[in-house]
Amino acid sequence: MLKIVLTIAVIAGVYYFLIKKPQVTQKRRERADAEAKKPKKGEEIMVECDKCGTYISTHEAIIKSGKYYCSKECAGVK
Ligand SMILES: [Zn+2]
């Protein structure tokens, strides 16, 4: 009788891991995806202005002919 109970417990345990685990990894993956989509602070790449040497983030930088500039004045754009 004890053997049967143990067998059922083992099978239940195996089933639990087989069924539950993929869901957990799926949730974890979804969470990772959601976090990846969020803009993270401190992930901006700092670039040097080609003219004056000021460091600006790529979001703020003005790109002109493949070079980064801190301002329109440095980029020579008006
Ligand atoms: Zn500049």
Side-chain angles (χ1 to χ4, degrees):
M1 188 58 193
L2 189 67
K3 267 189 181 177
I4 295 161
V5 173
L6 275 173
T7 309
I8 291 164
V10 168
I11 291 164
V14 170
Y15 263 95
Y16 178 83
F17 278 109
L18 284 177
I19 293 158
K20 288 279 175 183
K21 244 189 175 175
Q23 285 180 351
V24 171
T25 47
Q26 178 71 29
K27 267 188 184 174
R28 215 173 273 170
R29 201 176 298 151
E30 277 172 17
R31 203 183 299 159
D33 283 349
E35 272 175 26
K37 278 172 195 168
K38 274 186 211 166
K40 280 179 193 170
K41 276 186 180 178
E43 273 209 352
E44 286 176 2
I45 301 155
M46 299 304 283
V47 287
E48 196 176 355
C49 171
D50 194 63
K51 191 160 188 181
C52 70
T54 305
Y55 277 92
I56 51 273
S57 75
T58 48
H59 292 279
E60 295 168 303
I62 293 152
I63 302 156
K64 193 188 157 196
S65 51
K67 284 172 182 174
Y68 292 102
Y69 297 94
C70 69
S71 61
K72 282 180 181 177
E73 283 77 25
C74 281
V77 201
K78 276 179 188 178

